[in-house]
Amino acid sequence: MNKDQLKKGLTAIKGTRDILPEEAQLWQIVEAMAKSIFELYAYRELRAPVIEPTELFEKGTGASSDIVTKEMYTFNDKGGRSVTLRPEYTPSVVRAIIEHRLDLQGFPLRFYYIGPMFRYDRPQKGRYRQFHQIDVEVFGEKDPAVDAEIVEMAHRLLNKLGVGNVMTLVNSVGCKSCRPTYGQALRKVALESLDKLCPDCQRKAELNPLRIFDCKLETCQKTASTFPLITDFLCAECREHFEKFLSYLDFYGISYKIEPTLVRGLDYYTKTAFEIVTGDLGSQNAICGGGRYDDMVKEFGGPELCGIGFAMGLERLLSVAKISPARKNFVYFAYMGEEAKKESLRVARYLRSKGIECLVEFKDRGLKAHFSRANKIGANWVLIIGEDELSQGKLQIKDMVTSKQHQGTAEELARILTDKRSQ
Ligand code: ATP
Ligand code: MG
């Protein structure tokens, strides 16, 4: 089956893709590793819906962000309500905290989640309309030690996955009290340089000049490189927070680069903003982005509760991760005849109860056809049940790699299979 054979209109939606079993195996490894690492830090999984009211992102992600102005998957449902396929996860977690008053509960407000996000962007390598993120959020911790904790946690995961060539870019984008002054200074120079900016950035100059730093066009980046830097405008509190954050990164031995123009694509950041990039990715080099958002919970109508988090792109992560699926016992059943079929089902049921993967296919095959089928699907053991085996009450199992055979009862074979992997 290929694209031309598929009836018109039935192919996958542009920018989405199927993750086929061979690749999905790698996803499972990465997902399991991420979950176990986050749980090591006492983070808990919080699952929110894929669709949310559009206003959630307009208010949370920010009306002048690229995501809200250009990239949202928004439509009206049958009740006429505007809904959006979530482009990012943070606003959903904030909503869940307020709706369930999670701030009143005793458990640590440290959450993680892995799942699909949607952005109506131009699809290209490393950029899809349905993509996946690993997301981490912490609430109620002002201490910059937690900013460093999540960076260290991200590095632990990248390290474990063998991602090389990584660099951490850090910045402080200030807070409600110092950023407005900076915004004014920035607006002034941006309006003076309008002719050197793209139409998009010309609009941002008035609306939210900070966003110009996030433009991917080289000409705009060059113009923005002459603009004043936030570093010179930070208030004493933000400056101290930033310095402490850096000192904790030093403590963990994480090398970083201070990037005063790093503002990130979301409107809500306060103080810490960071990005982890890798030289192995080409132009879409950002693998993880995050920062602090101390005002969002309050702005959504919730209590005074600061927050910080990051999101890691799974597609980009997988394209640079150095992992291969672990070889496991996978037993294919070669049986001949109706009675042997029933015996296969019985033995498979028993072996599965011992955690051994079994495949019984329901096709009449001769022994040779069974073996070529087992080879084709990559089974590493073939369990043979024919008339001889039935009459003797003994089963035979063959290691497909070494060709070694073993004979025994189901119980004996289970012991062999759990003791040793196929070589
Ligand atoms: P970029 O600058 O590459 O557009 P972003 O600032 O929009 O990234 P975030 O919103 O911070 O990214 O999302 C965090 C991570 O999610 C990114 O670092 C990236 O790895 C991944 N990501 C974002 N958008 C996409 C996409 N359209 N397709 C695949 N991965 C994506
Ligand atoms: Mg983007």
Side-chain angles (χ1 to χ4, degrees):
M1 178 72 75
N2 63 30
K3 252 191 168 159
D4 303 329
Q5 271 178 289
L6 203 57
K7 290 225 165 92
K8 212 168 178 280
L10 297 184
T11 49
I13 287 181
K14 194 174 170 191
T16 71
R17 59 187 203 102
D18 301 307
I19 299 162
L20 302 178
E22 212 172 317
E23 197 193 343
Q25 248 185 321
L26 301 177
W27 283 66
Q28 288 176 352
I29 294 173
V30 173
E31 287 165 4
M33 209 174 266
K35 287 178 184 177
S36 74
I37 287 180
F38 301 155
E39 299 270 348
L40 279 179
Y41 291 72
Y43 286 58
R44 302 288 176 246
E45 187 173 15
L46 188 156
R47 301 188 189 197
V50 170
I51 48 172
E52 296 275 9
T54 301
E55 298 86 339
L56 185 78
F57 303 108
E58 285 171 349
K59 190 161 176 60
T61 311
S64 66
S65 65
D66 275 0
I67 290 181
V68 172
T69 53
K70 294 186 279 194
E71 299 172 0
M72 290 227 286
Y73 244 108
T74 298
F75 53 93
N76 287 336
D77 68 10
K78 285 182 183 162
R81 157 148 226 191
S82 178
V83 296
T84 293
L85 294 175
R86 60 183 182 205
E88 57 140 342
Y89 204 55
T90 309
S92 297
V93 185
V94 171
R95 179 193 50 64
I97 286 185
I98 301 170
E99 271 191 57
H100 304 284
R101 290 305 322 250
L102 297 183
D103 54 302
L104 299 181
Q105 300 189 17
F107 56 80
L109 294 172
R110 282 163 151 79
F111 304 112
Y112 70 86
Y113 174 72
I114 303 176
M117 305 290 153
F118 304 83
R119 293 186 196 174
Y120 200 84
D121 206 350
R122 192 170 64 82
Q124 53 190 291
K125 191 172 180 297
R127 205 174 281 290
Y128 307 97
R129 289 187 176 170
Q130 175 175 338
F131 64 103
H132 299 75
Q133 284 186 338
I134 298 179
D135 188 273
V136 156
E137 314 284 348
V138 182
F139 295 86
E141 290 277 12
K142 278 206 292 274
D143 197 312
V146 83
D147 306 37
E149 173 179 295
I150 65 167
V151 175
E152 196 248 347
M153 202 161 76
H155 274 274
R156 188 182 291 266
L157 178 60
L158 295 176
N159 222 328
K160 196 121 194 245
L161 293 172
V163 179
N165 228 338
V166 289
M167 175 45 86
T168 307
L169 311 174
V170 296
N171 192 23
S172 173
V173 295
C175 67
K176 269 200 301 242
S177 76
C178 55
R179 199 164 50 213
T181 325
Y182 175 58
Q184 274 164 20
L186 211 51
R187 184 170 294 111
K188 186 164 174 287
V189 290
L191 289 173
E192 283 164 11
S193 340
L194 275 186
D195 54 333
K196 293 188 221 112
L197 294 170
C198 72
D200 209 21
C201 286
Q202 290 178 356
R203 206 170 36 80
K204 291 174 184 169
E206 184 56 51
L207 213 64
N208 188 352
L210 210 67
R211 284 270 73 82
I212 297 172
F213 288 122
D214 217 29
C215 182
K216 296 200 166 57
L217 291 178
E218 213 172 295
T219 46
C220 291
Q221 282 181 5
K222 196 161 165 246
T223 309
S225 69
T226 63
F227 290 180
L229 297 176
I230 180 84
T231 329
D232 300 321
F233 288 79
L234 293 180
C235 63
E237 188 194 307
C238 286
R239 190 177 304 279
E240 193 194 334
H241 192 275
F242 190 44
E243 280 164 9
K244 281 197 176 148
F245 168 52
L246 299 182
S247 76
Y248 283 112
L249 291 181
D250 292 334
F251 168 82
Y252 284 124
I254 293 170
S255 57
Y256 53 84
K257 183 165 171 254
I258 299 173
E259 194 73 81
T261 59
L262 178 78
V263 293
R264 315 251 330 104
L266 311 160
D267 280 354
Y268 49 66
Y269 285 125
T270 54
K271 294 192 170 73
T272 309
F274 70 89
E275 201 158 86
I276 304 178
V277 297
T278 161
D280 295 346
L281 263 179
S283 55
Q284 317 304 339
N285 66 349
I287 203 159
C288 176
R292 190 166 265 285
Y293 47 93
D294 289 347
D295 305 321
M296 204 200 293
V297 182
K298 181 108 202 192
E299 276 164 17
F300 274 21
E304 190 89 48
L305 195 67
C306 58
I308 179 160
F310 70 67
M312 208 181 262
L314 258 172
E315 281 77 4
R316 293 186 200 175
L317 182 59
L318 272 141
S319 68
V320 290
K322 295 186 185 67
I323 44 167
S324 47
R327 233 185 133 68
K328 55 183 177 183
N329 282 321
F330 172 21
V331 183
Y332 173 88
F333 279 66
Y335 63 89
M336 272 80 49
E338 190 54 30
E339 214 184 314
K341 177 181 178 184
K342 287 230 174 69
E343 178 64 2
S344 294
L345 296 179
R346 190 191 69 77
V347 175
R349 196 176 195 193
Y350 171 73
L351 292 182
R352 286 180 187 131
S353 77
K354 299 285 168 199
I356 297 162
E357 187 179 323
C358 297
L359 176 68
V360 184
E361 284 187 334
F362 308 112
K363 295 221 166 40
D364 270 334
R365 288 188 172 116
L367 199 58
K368 211 168 145 209
H370 269 308
F371 270 94
S372 70
R373 175 72 183 150
N375 244 330
K376 194 168 176 192
I377 59 176
N380 37 18
W381 297 92
V382 174
L383 196 141
I384 306 150
I385 310 184
E387 271 172 25
D388 288 353
E389 286 76 16
L390 280 177
S391 62
Q392 292 164 14
K394 292 258 178 195
L395 308 165
Q396 267 202 68
I397 195 158
K398 182 172 175 180
D399 184 326
M400 293 294 278
V401 181
T402 64
S403 291
K404 265 196 199 139
Q405 302 222 20
H406 305 268
Q407 230 193 17
T409 61
E411 289 74 14
E412 285 161 352
L413 293 185
R415 221 165 300 131
I416 293 175
L417 286 170
T418 35
D419 279 358
K420 64 171 177 189
R421 309 264 139 197
S422 171
Q423 302 306 305

